[in-house]
Amino acid sequence: MAIEGFDYKEFAQLMSSQAGELIPKDFNDMQKNYVVKTLSNFTLLAGEAIANDEALGFNADQAIFVTQIIAEWAFHKSIDLVHSGIMPEHWDGIMQKIAFTIFEVAKQAIKKNVPQDQILQLIEHHVNKTYKEAIDNLEKRGVITAEISQKAMSQSNIDDMAAQAAQAEAEQKAAMEAGAQEQAVSPDAAPQAAPQVSVPQAAATSLPAGPMEKSLKLISVALVLKILPSDRVEAILDKFSPQDVETIKNYMKVENLEAGLDMNYTLKCLENIKEFLPRRKSPSQESIVRQLNKIFDQYPMENVEKLFKSERPFLKRFISKAYEGDYYPIPVKVAQIVVDYVKDSVE
């Protein structure tokens, strides 16, 4: 029985068209097709399963929420796999595990009336855990090398996009301030006209007002932040001015934000953000120690040590040195994997 207000086929088509605009430009045709096809297939399968399972009792909002989460994580993790160095014949198996995990976690959480923000946190945790376990399994079977395993675990397209969006806004703000100073020096300089962008009437009545150019850039940020848990969102919003934070939060509250906008222009904003900024910096020894210190502040050291009870001595030494504020010399990429493991596992 269909869910009123939920056309999963149309929704899958919308998500696929958006994905096609955001795929990294360095991808070849095979890689681009894989990302779009994977997102489309998983969105259709999830939407159909939800629509035909009367026992779930989902309304349209719940159905869209689960399907969109699967679509967006399928997009980000398939990009991570393309960047990972893992051979394409192993991608589908990993993506199937991730999609199934999201579906089950979201389904059970909604049944138990878990708040949406907590659902997002649960999903992110289990996506990362499932991805790591799948990579570890390939390494244990000898399918991939330790080097490729480390490279795969270091990928995070969703973090890249969120960080790049925040940095782009900071760059734009700096550029605007520089422009204002220049105009103050040369008062006769004619201001440049903002680009003409059409926004549907439905969006115009529901979205906060503001200069069109900047508003669409803030919308681009809001679209990325909508699928992140609150702690990650707040960390990114800290980089914006208070006025922009309020505007972004208002955009995030708009239902079906992407459906009420000129998506071609909005997607160009996101693509421009990705091109304009450098890629995320590699972790340093100092950042590794800082990350672990935050964990030590939140959890007893005994809880962290339990995770490494049966691990190799150099890993135990690495943790104990970090607790003392020092860095035990292991490859930084390996250290970041260890940090991520601790974050996901410590209780």
Side-chain angles (χ1 to χ4, degrees):
M1 181 178 178
I3 300 174
E4 184 177 356
F6 177 56
D7 185 337
Y8 66 87
K9 293 181 180 178
E10 181 180 345
F11 187 75
Q13 180 59 42
L14 173 65
M15 298 301 290
S16 297
S17 64
Q18 293 180 21
E21 296 288 340
L22 284 174
I23 294 174
K25 294 201 173 196
D26 62 334
F27 278 21
N28 60 36
D29 288 342
M30 182 279 286
Q31 294 166 336
K32 292 177 183 177
N33 290 336
Y34 179 78
V35 173
V36 174
K37 184 178 178 182
T38 298
L39 181 149
S40 178
N41 287 344
F42 286 156
T43 307
L44 282 170
L45 288 172
E48 184 178 15
I50 293 170
N52 294 334
D53 191 344
E54 296 183 18
L56 289 176
F58 282 2
N59 58 35
D61 289 340
Q62 292 169 327
I64 290 172
F65 172 70
V66 176
T67 309
Q68 181 170 352
I69 292 299
I70 289 176
E72 294 184 349
W73 274 112
F75 172 77
H76 292 298
K77 297 315 290 182
S78 59
I79 287 178
D80 288 347
L81 283 173
V82 173
H83 282 140
S84 71
I86 296 172
M87 295 299 290
E89 57 262 32
H90 303 295
W91 295 350
D92 281 347
I94 296 173
M95 291 305 305
Q96 287 165 7
K97 292 175 183 176
I98 289 173
F100 177 78
T101 296
I102 296 172
F103 187 80
E104 289 301 313
V105 170
K107 183 173 68 175
Q108 296 302 322
I110 289 174
K111 281 184 177 181
K112 296 177 181 178
N113 295 316
V114 176
Q116 189 175 105
D117 186 64
Q118 292 183 27
I119 295 176
L120 292 174
Q121 292 180 24
L122 282 170
I123 288 173
E124 182 178 24
H125 170 79
H126 284 284
V127 166
N128 291 333
K129 182 179 179 182
T130 301
Y131 182 75
K132 180 182 183 302
E133 289 174 348
I135 301 301
D136 287 343
N137 181 259
L138 290 177
E139 183 181 356
K140 288 176 182 177
R141 288 163 45 202
V143 176
I144 60 175
T145 64
E147 183 180 0
I148 291 178
S149 175
Q150 293 167 18
K151 181 180 178 182
M153 286 303 303
S154 70
Q155 304 301 320
S156 182
N157 187 67
I158 190 170
D159 284 342
D160 286 345
M161 288 188 68
Q164 289 168 357
Q167 291 179 39
E169 179 61 21
E171 293 286 349
Q172 183 192 24
K173 182 180 178 182
M176 290 174 65
E177 290 174 352
Q181 292 176 358
E182 182 178 346
Q183 188 167 350
V185 175
S186 304
D188 295 333
Q192 293 184 350
Q196 298 300 310
V197 182
S198 62
V199 178
Q201 185 62 34
T205 58
S206 60
L207 297 178
M212 186 61 66
E213 175 73 7
K214 183 172 183 179
S215 292
L216 285 173
K217 292 185 182 299
L218 295 181
I219 290 169
S220 302
V221 176
L223 288 171
V224 175
L225 298 186
K226 281 184 74 174
I227 67 166
L228 294 177
S230 60
D231 57 338
R232 300 271 300 283
V233 170
E234 291 303 322
I236 293 171
L237 289 178
D238 282 344
K239 301 177 182 179
F240 292 84
S241 68
Q243 296 87 347
D244 289 344
V245 169
E246 187 64 28
T247 302
I248 293 170
K249 286 184 175 180
N250 287 336
Y251 286 140
M252 292 173 68
K253 294 175 184 176
V254 177
E255 294 185 6
N256 298 324
L257 176 62
E258 63 277 3
L261 299 167
D262 182 342
M263 286 305 298
N264 287 330
Y265 185 83
T266 304
L267 290 170
K268 286 179 182 178
C269 288
L270 283 174
E271 188 61 34
N272 179 260
I273 286 170
K274 294 180 72 176
E275 290 181 351
F276 183 73
L277 295 165
R279 293 192 61 81
R280 184 178 53 174
K281 294 181 180 179
S282 300
S284 64
Q285 294 183 6
E286 292 76 14
S287 70
I288 294 293
V289 174
R290 282 198 302 271
Q291 291 178 67
L292 285 171
N293 283 336
K294 288 182 180 179
I295 295 173
F296 297 145
D297 289 341
Q298 295 176 15
Y299 301 96
M301 183 57 175
E302 294 78 10
N303 293 21
V304 178
E305 289 177 330
K306 285 179 184 178
L307 299 175
F308 296 88
K309 197 171 185 180
S310 58
E311 290 290 346
R312 287 159 289 183
F314 84 92
L315 288 177
K316 296 179 182 178
R317 184 63 177 157
F318 168 73
I319 293 297
S320 64
K321 290 293 287 183
Y323 186 70
E324 297 169 1
D326 295 325
Y327 186 86
Y328 185 74
I330 66 174
V332 175
K333 289 186 178 180
V334 175
Q336 185 63 60
I337 294 172
V338 174
V339 171
D340 292 339
Y341 167 71
V342 175
K343 286 179 181 177
D344 290 340
S345 305
V346 69
E347 296 178 352

